[in-house]
Amino acid sequence: MCLHIYLKYSTPVQLYVRVPGSECHLQTFFFLDYSAISLYSLGSAIAYNYYSFPTILINTTFHEIFLPTAVIAGILCTIITCASRLTSGFIKTKLMRICGFIIPYAFCHYPLIYRILFCQDELECDPESLSLHIQEIFLTVSSTSLFLSHVPECFSPGTFDIVGNSHQLFHVGVSLSTYRHLMAFMTDMKNRRELLSTILLHPPSFQGTVLPFGFLAASNLVITVTFLILFKRRNYSKLK
C-alpha cells in the first residue's frame, strides 16, 4: 500500500511541474509527494520491524520504540520538506529538503546497517536478501549524489535539458532502488518468517501496521492543508 501511494503521488508531480498551470496546484502536488515519501518511509520501517530486524535487537527497548519513532520521523519529514517550499534561498531550501528526507531514511535503515555489519548466523547473513538491501542503499545514495551534484549537466550545460539530466537519473535510480527494496523485504519475509514467528513478542497486528500508517496519513493530511493555507496567505499578502 505504501509503495502504491508513494508512486501514485510522486509520478504526477513530475509531469505537472513540466506543464504550465496554477502555482497553488503545483504546490499541492509537491506537498502530497512529500507526504507520500514519508508514508513510504513508515511502510519500510514496518517491514523492517517485522521481517528484517536483526535478531539480537528483537524485543529490546529499541525494538519497542522503533515504530513510534518512525512515525515521528515521518511527521518531521513532511513538516520540514513542506516548509522548504515556503523558504527563500536556494541553499537553505535544498538543505531543509535533504534533512527532511535523511531523518526517516537514516533512522529506518539503522537496524539494517546493524544487521549487515554484525550478522552472525547463516539466516541472519542471508546473502540473497542482504545483497538486495545493499543494492537498494547503493542505488539510493548514488542517485541522490547525482541529483545534488547536478551531474552530468554541470559538465555540459544545455546538453541534458530534455533527456539525461540529474533529476531524471535520480528518479530512475530511486525507482530501481524501490524495486530492490520490495524484493529484499519479500525475501526476508519468506526466509525469516518461521524464525521470527517464534521469537517476536508482538507479531504483525492491526496496532503495529494499520494504526501507525493511518495516524501518519491523517497527520500528513493536516500538515499538507496547513502549509497550503500558509502558501495561499503568503501569495495573497504579496498581491496586496
Side-chain angles (χ1 to χ4, degrees):
M1 187 195 305
C2 297
L3 177 59
H4 173 71
I5 293 174
Y6 155 61
L7 294 176
K8 181 179 179 180
Y9 286 108
S10 291
T11 303
V13 72
Q14 303 308 320
L15 175 64
Y16 195 88
V17 75
R18 303 288 187 269
V19 180
S22 166
E23 181 70 15
C24 183
H25 290 167
L26 179 61
Q27 295 300 329
T28 302
F29 273 112
F30 274 119
F31 293 156
L32 290 173
D33 184 26
Y34 300 150
S35 297
I37 291 171
S38 78
L39 284 171
Y40 177 75
S41 74
L42 177 61
S44 299
I46 291 173
Y48 281 129
N49 187 67
Y50 291 117
Y51 303 117
S52 301
F53 226 77
T55 53
I56 195 172
L57 295 180
I58 289 178
N59 301 326
T60 61
T61 302
F62 176 72
H63 191 213
E64 293 293 322
I65 66 170
F66 181 69
L67 279 185
T69 309
V71 173
I72 295 172
I75 292 173
L76 286 175
C77 168
T78 308
I79 292 174
I80 295 172
T81 50
C82 287
S84 71
R85 304 297 308 179
L86 306 181
T87 304
S88 57
F90 177 77
I91 295 178
K92 185 178 180 181
T93 298
K94 180 160 282 193
L95 284 175
M96 287 180 66
R97 215 161 290 163
I98 292 169
C99 289
F101 293 138
I102 283 179
I103 290 172
Y105 186 85
F107 176 77
C108 292
H109 277 70
Y110 173 78
L112 173 65
I113 300 298
Y114 187 95
R115 179 181 159 199
I116 292 172
L117 294 177
F118 302 108
C119 67
Q120 296 176 352
D121 57 68
E122 184 179 349
L123 188 58
E124 190 84 344
C125 304
D126 179 17
E128 185 182 2
S129 66
L130 289 188
S131 64
L132 288 167
H133 281 300
I134 292 171
Q135 288 174 47
E136 179 270 322
I137 294 173
F138 173 77
L139 285 167
T140 301
V141 172
S142 58
S143 301
T144 304
S145 299
L146 284 176
F147 177 67
L148 294 177
S149 60
H150 298 288
V151 174
E153 62 266 21
C154 65
F155 297 118
S156 182
T159 305
F160 303 98
D161 287 353
I162 298 176
V163 177
N165 58 69
S166 59
H167 197 173
Q168 293 172 341
L169 295 176
F170 167 74
H171 282 283
V172 171
V174 168
S175 297
L176 291 173
S177 75
T178 301
Y179 174 72
R180 296 293 192 282
H181 217 186
L182 177 61
M183 295 304 296
F185 286 138
M186 291 177 67
T187 303
D188 275 334
M189 183 175 66
K190 179 185 70 175
N191 296 344
R192 305 181 79 219
R193 175 180 289 175
E194 185 177 348
L195 168 68
L196 296 177
S197 64
T198 62
I199 61 176
L200 275 174
L201 290 179
H202 306 290
S205 62
F206 177 86
Q207 291 85 353
T209 55
V210 178
L211 192 61
F213 182 83
F215 179 79
L216 181 58
S219 300
N220 282 349
L221 180 61
V222 172
I223 294 168
T224 298
V225 171
T226 302
F227 275 101
L228 191 57
I229 292 171
L230 291 174
F231 174 77
K232 288 183 176 180
R233 286 181 178 176
R234 190 186 69 170
N235 279 8
Y236 178 73
S237 63
K238 285 182 179 180
L239 291 174
K240 291 177 65 177

